[in-house]
Amino acid sequence: MNTELEACKHALEATGDYQVLVRFKPIPQYHSPQNVKTFKACIIDTETTGLDTENCEIIELGYQVIEFDSAGHFYRVLLAQNFLNEPEGGIPEEVTQVTGITLEEVKGHQIPWEQVVTELNDMDLFVAHNAGFDRPILERYHPLFAEKVWGCSASQIDWFALAHVSSRSQEFLCWKIGKFFYDAHRAIDDVQALTHLLSQPIGEPQHPAFFYLLQSVRQSKIMIKATGAPFDVKDDLKKRGYRWNNTEKVWQKVLPAATQEEELNWLMEHSTPKPQVIKLKATDTFSVRAQ
């Protein structure tokens, strides 16, 4: 932003009557390399033909590889990729309306999965803004995505408690916290914007949002199946975050292992005295294995 525009921005914001959003531009490096141990994260996003994770097809895949340290600070962006993919079926009109992606645009394009695996095989962590959606889809395309640790920036950061933002929409969070906008619903644009959002300081004391995501990822997880729950508590289970497993005909929920006793007490109070508790591996979270 040039000096004149910057002065206008500050003048408008100083009145208290305006908020000025800046168009986001990809950042090649957040912090300079320091004498700290760094790891590799892959921030990843898919655009698909629908919302059914068991059947929808990927029409665009975007990802960015970035260095991070144990305190959640980002360093160099090592790689950014975006691939189009022609689906076997068509692209519904409503998908085109949201993403702008047409069948003509993807025609003849295929994701080079061997290249993707080569580039992402040594990742320490995968992050998506809705990992419960993106991970099961990607697991259908290649086993690499089933073998890694995943984090979800939508569900594993308490945006309301830490930043007083009630919506978990990525666009809304970028506006309220980062004060920037971008061309949403294209894979690489979403990925690069999410990376920048995760670099923003939140909480008290302030840390990068990614710091809080790492805290959640490090927690041991369990799955509780509300075996034997009576029909009349189904609404209470749903409100508490349980999901219906249609195959096993049971309500189930993934939660931190540290909250097991509290959850079991709640189930006991709601006429479910014999739930099943399953310890999850770090690589299970958001996988089809934990759904």
Side-chain angles (χ1 to χ4, degrees), residues 63-93:
Y63 55 84
Q64 179 163 268
V65 176
I66 191 165
E67 297 172 318
F68 70 94
D69 65 21
S70 60
H73 298 108
F74 288 148
Y75 294 90
R76 295 176 300 167
V77 173
L78 303 177
L79 176 70
Q81 293 280 29
N82 198 75
F83 300 109
L84 295 172
N85 191 63
E86 181 181 358
E88 294 182 6
I91 299 178
E93 178 59 31

Side-chain angles (χ1 to χ4, degrees), residues 20-257:
V20 180
L21 302 182
V22 177
R23 177 180 289 279
F24 172 70
K25 295 181 181 178
I27 296 174
Q29 181 169 303
Y30 282 85
H31 288 92
S32 300
Q34 299 179 15
N35 189 27
V36 296
K37 184 176 181 179
T38 59
F39 308 88
K40 291 181 182 179
C42 174
I43 317 297
I44 195 164
D45 183 54
T46 62
E47 302 298 338
T48 65
T49 57
L51 300 178
D52 179 358
T53 58
E54 294 182 4
N55 298 293
C56 68
E57 297 181 77
I58 296 175
I59 54 176
E60 188 174 47
L61 173 68
Y63 55 84
Q64 179 163 268
V65 176
I66 191 165
E67 297 172 318
F68 70 94
D69 65 21
S70 60
H73 298 108
F74 288 148
Y75 294 90
R76 295 176 300 167
V77 173
L78 303 177
L79 176 70
Q81 293 280 29
N82 198 75
F83 300 109
L84 295 172
N85 191 63
E86 181 181 358
E88 294 182 6
I91 299 178
E93 178 59 31
E94 57 268 27
V95 172
T96 297
Q97 289 176 357
V98 171
T99 65
I101 300 174
T102 64
L103 191 58
E104 181 180 357
E105 183 179 357
V106 301
K107 195 170 183 61
H109 290 272
Q110 296 295 321
I111 296 171
W113 289 109
E114 288 188 7
Q115 177 184 340
V116 171
V117 171
T118 298
E119 293 176 346
L120 304 184
N121 192 52
D122 64 343
M123 295 300 104
D124 298 290
L125 177 66
F126 281 81
V127 176
H129 194 63
N130 186 358
F133 176 78
D134 292 286
R135 178 172 189 174
I137 294 170
L138 285 163
E139 286 181 344
R140 288 173 27 221
Y141 282 82
H142 200 281
L144 168 74
F145 301 104
E147 301 164 356
K148 297 293 185 177
V149 177
W150 280 70
C152 178
S153 53
S155 65
Q156 290 187 301
I157 298 175
D158 192 338
W159 294 105
F160 183 75
L162 294 167
H164 312 296
V165 180
S166 57
S167 172
R168 294 182 179 183
S169 159
Q170 181 176 316
E171 285 182 88
F172 193 79
L173 290 166
C174 289
W175 162 41
K176 295 295 288 184
I177 297 172
K179 296 184 179 179
F180 66 89
F181 71 97
Y182 65 102
D183 297 323
H185 304 300
R186 292 303 299 259
I188 191 60
D189 295 327
D190 284 349
V191 160
Q192 291 173 324
L194 178 57
T195 304
H196 194 54
L197 173 64
L198 292 173
S199 76
Q200 301 299 303
I202 59 174
E204 194 60 48
Q206 292 203 321
H207 296 286
F210 194 63
F211 166 84
Y212 296 100
L213 177 59
L214 290 177
Q215 283 189 319
S216 182
V217 168
R218 290 167 183 151
Q219 292 179 341
S220 298
K221 307 292 194 306
I222 58 172
M223 176 187 286
I224 293 184
K225 297 188 177 186
T227 308
F231 180 79
D232 59 5
V233 301
K234 65 179 180 64
D235 291 336
D236 291 326
L237 288 165
K238 189 173 182 180
K239 288 177 183 177
R240 197 164 174 87
Y242 283 79
R243 298 176 60 182
W244 179 247
N245 181 330
N246 194 50
T247 301
E248 298 183 27
K249 307 300 182 184
V250 67
W251 289 94
Q252 61 189 40
K253 177 182 178 180
V254 175
L255 63 161

